[in-house]
Amino acid sequence: MNENTGNEMDIKDILTLLLSKLWLIILIAVLGAAGGFCYTKFAMPLQYSSHISMYVQCYTNTGGVMSDYNNISNSKQLTNTYIEVLKDDAVMNAVSTMLKSQFDDNTLSNCFNGYDGNRIPPASIRNCLNITSVTDTSALTVRTTTQNAEVSAAICNILADVAPQFIDEAVRVGQINTIDTAMIYPDPVGPNAVKNGLIGGMAGAMLVCLIVFLMDFFNNTIRDPETIRTKYKKAVVGEIQDYSNGKKKKKTEEDDHFKLTDDNVPFYITESYKSLRTNISFALATSEKKIFAVSSANPAEGKSTTSANIAIALAQSGQKTLLIDADMRKCVQHKIFGLKNKKGLSTAVSKMNDIDECISKNVMKNLDVMTAGPIPPNPSELLASKQMADILEKLSENYSIIIIDTPPVNVVTDAMALANSISGMILVLHYGKTTTDDIDNAMQKIEFANMNLLGYILNSIKTKKNGKYYKKYKYKSGYGYGYSYGYGYSSKPELDENDTDISETVEETKDKIVKSTKKKVLKNAD
């Protein structure tokens, strides 16, 4: 389903959808073709055919009934009349009687369905017959196909023998003659294994295409930012691509989350966060409080790693930034930044430690982090307390911007307790995973708590999948997933003007090259 226009799909959408499942279509088509070919070759009985030609002569005897002759205008009409007569049940019963006298019951039961040992059903004989008229002639061709070559020839010959009698009784005009008898052809004419294989392949491919269309039609996961903008009337402040290339690696819990400053982060991921940083700045431009929360509808949609990387991007722009891990039930920010978690938000709100003792200073330039601290028995109550509001008020005096990583909205209500203390919330959505139902449920909770929704972040966009996203870059693997919140990054971003450049300078690199060259020269001299 094209999510931009509701239920409509254009040719480009259809082709993109089918190409995304091309490997499956080809696989099932090959299996269908192989199945059809093998079933035809080894399971279906062989078919044998025989034929005979009959010729219609239009005339009347001197004592014939002229009115009957005048009712048939030409030989073609007479030929069509003969065809219908030859297919009549009376003719078929006559053929059945003569076949029973020539063949044993076992042979007849193999050739005709419904044979009970006494008579062959007329319909069974008709199914073996194909009577056609030769174009622009008064000739008839009778072709029979059964599982026995002798039976096929016998039907043709018997029909040729009984035809004149029934034609004379029914039509009483002209006569029908044969020149030769039907021959027995020992070579089978069917079934056609190649033809049935092609049919099986086409049927398999069509079945997969139908299933793909049905799955896409009923798929209500988010795969297009335009769907979010249109349905929920809110901005998509960021679009973060996935760069895992579908590779799944076994990782420890600590490896499930990565920072934007890690090595080998692709350039386009860095640019996506820079764009997100700019949009967040615009979203908070008119707010007095430069404090906002980041959450998601459900777990494992990337909100914790997104929070961490938003904080890094903001700090790189020169803003004094604080990241608070308010997900006290499943805290991960201390793992992302490699910090201790003995003191943190829970101990600060509980007044067990001073605020300054709970903040890890200068985790990187312009970035401080307050971890969640030990897991308390009452996270919701702590976040809704006056002490939490006072802490945020005090911290806002020392920081240009504060990001709060909060639990998933549809799981617990912790984030809603901060509604009066922050400017709003950004909701992280996982491409191809978060459904519109998930967003609807989250929006109900957000609106009920009077929480201001600043916008959405569409995370982990698959550039090879359906929708408007196409592969624009050749990039390396290293972007994995786990069952804990968030997704992984593994590369080093390009730095802004105000960012700290941790790479070597050109001069330092030159000095190293010179020293290395001198060592090699001295070593060779020795």
Side-chain angles (χ1 to χ4, degrees), residues 77-129:
Q77 288 179 320
L78 186 60
T79 299
N80 293 332
T81 303
Y82 283 6
I83 290 174
E84 295 303 317
V85 172
L86 293 177
K87 291 181 179 180
D88 190 73
D89 283 357
V91 180
M92 297 296 102
N93 288 330
V95 174
S96 172
T97 301
M98 297 186 69
L99 284 173
K100 194 173 185 308
S101 65
Q102 296 181 25
F103 299 96
D104 57 71
D105 291 342
N106 185 47
T107 300
L108 295 177
S109 63
N110 289 334
C111 295
F112 302 103
N113 294 326
Y115 177 66
D116 57 4
N118 295 319
R119 61 187 290 272
I120 303 171
S124 294
I125 301 177
R126 271 194 296 270
N127 290 337
C128 301
L129 283 171

Side-chain angles (χ1 to χ4, degrees), residues 417-439:
L418 299 171
N420 295 326
S421 302
I422 62 177
S423 297
M425 172 185 289
I426 294 177
L427 199 65
V428 176
L429 310 176
H430 194 293
Y431 176 94
K433 181 177 179 180
T434 307
T435 66
T436 53
D437 292 338
D438 295 333
I439 302 177

Side-chain angles (χ1 to χ4, degrees), residues 445-459:
K445 295 178 174 63
I446 291 172
E447 291 173 0
F448 182 78
N450 290 323
M451 173 76 76
N452 178 32
L453 185 66
L454 299 174
Y456 300 95
I457 296 175
L458 185 55
N459 177 47

Side-chain angles (χ1 to χ4, degrees), residues 48-337:
Y48 299 88
S49 182
S50 185
H51 66 275
I52 191 170
S53 296
M54 300 181 183
Y55 302 92
V56 178
Q57 293 180 343
C58 299
Y59 73 95
T60 56
N61 295 325
T62 304
V65 181
M66 294 299 297
S67 60
D68 289 343
Y69 177 74
N70 292 333
N71 287 335
I72 301 175
S73 60
N74 54 55
S75 61
K76 184 177 180 180
Q77 288 179 320
L78 186 60
T79 299
N80 293 332
T81 303
Y82 283 6
I83 290 174
E84 295 303 317
V85 172
L86 293 177
K87 291 181 179 180
D88 190 73
D89 283 357
V91 180
M92 297 296 102
N93 288 330
V95 174
S96 172
T97 301
M98 297 186 69
L99 284 173
K100 194 173 185 308
S101 65
Q102 296 181 25
F103 299 96
D104 57 71
D105 291 342
N106 185 47
T107 300
L108 295 177
S109 63
N110 289 334
C111 295
F112 302 103
N113 294 326
Y115 177 66
D116 57 4
N118 295 319
R119 61 187 290 272
I120 303 171
S124 294
I125 301 177
R126 271 194 296 270
N127 290 337
C128 301
L129 283 171
N130 183 24
I131 306 175
T132 59
S133 60
V134 181
T135 306
D136 297 330
T137 69
S138 59
L140 297 177
T141 298
V142 179
R143 186 176 297 276
T144 59
T145 304
T146 68
Q147 297 179 27
N148 187 293
E150 295 180 358
V151 172
S152 296
I155 294 175
C156 290
N157 291 326
I158 293 172
L159 192 61
D161 291 339
V162 302
Q165 174 187 350
F166 286 96
I167 292 295
D168 184 61
E169 292 179 357
V171 184
R172 302 179 66 183
V173 175
Q175 67 178 18
I176 189 166
N177 299 317
T178 58
I179 295 178
D180 202 354
T181 59
M183 303 295 293
I184 298 174
Y185 298 97
D187 296 329
V189 296
N192 191 329
V194 175
K195 178 181 177 181
N196 290 346
L198 292 175
I199 293 174
M202 292 177 62
M206 292 177 64
L207 178 62
V208 175
C209 291
L210 177 61
I211 294 174
V212 168
F213 282 125
L214 288 176
M215 290 178 64
D216 185 73
F217 181 80
F218 290 106
N219 186 355
N220 66 339
T221 58
I222 297 300
R223 293 171 292 162
D224 188 356
E226 191 60 32
T227 302
I228 307 170
R229 298 186 186 101
T230 302
K231 182 173 182 179
Y232 299 103
K233 310 300 181 185
K234 285 289 183 179
V236 176
V237 296
E239 300 173 23
I240 311 299
Q241 293 89 352
D242 169 38
Y243 60 100
S244 65
N245 280 342
K247 294 182 180 179
K248 296 181 180 180
K249 298 180 180 179
K250 292 183 179 180
K251 297 178 180 179
T252 61
E253 185 177 1
E254 289 75 10
D255 292 331
D256 287 339
H257 305 273
F258 295 87
K259 300 187 298 295
L260 194 60
T261 52
D262 290 342
D263 294 336
N264 301 322
V265 170
F267 172 78
Y268 60 88
I269 295 295
T270 304
E271 290 303 306
S272 295
Y273 272 100
K274 288 182 179 180
S275 176
L276 174 58
R277 175 181 68 195
T278 301
N279 292 337
I280 290 175
S281 298
F282 279 120
L284 296 174
T286 58
S287 301
E288 295 181 3
K289 300 177 181 178
K290 305 301 181 183
I291 308 173
F292 68 95
V294 177
S295 187
S296 60
N298 301 311
E301 292 183 338
K303 57 94 182 172
S304 290
T305 306
T306 302
S307 301
N309 289 313
I310 290 173
I312 292 172
L314 288 168
Q316 287 177 342
S317 68
Q319 301 183 67
K320 185 62 176 177
T321 306
L322 174 65
L323 173 62
I324 300 176
D325 190 350
D327 191 352
M328 289 181 278
R329 304 171 190 267
K330 193 179 179 72
C331 49
V332 296
Q333 295 299 342
H334 66 286
K335 297 176 184 177
I336 295 176
F337 289 96

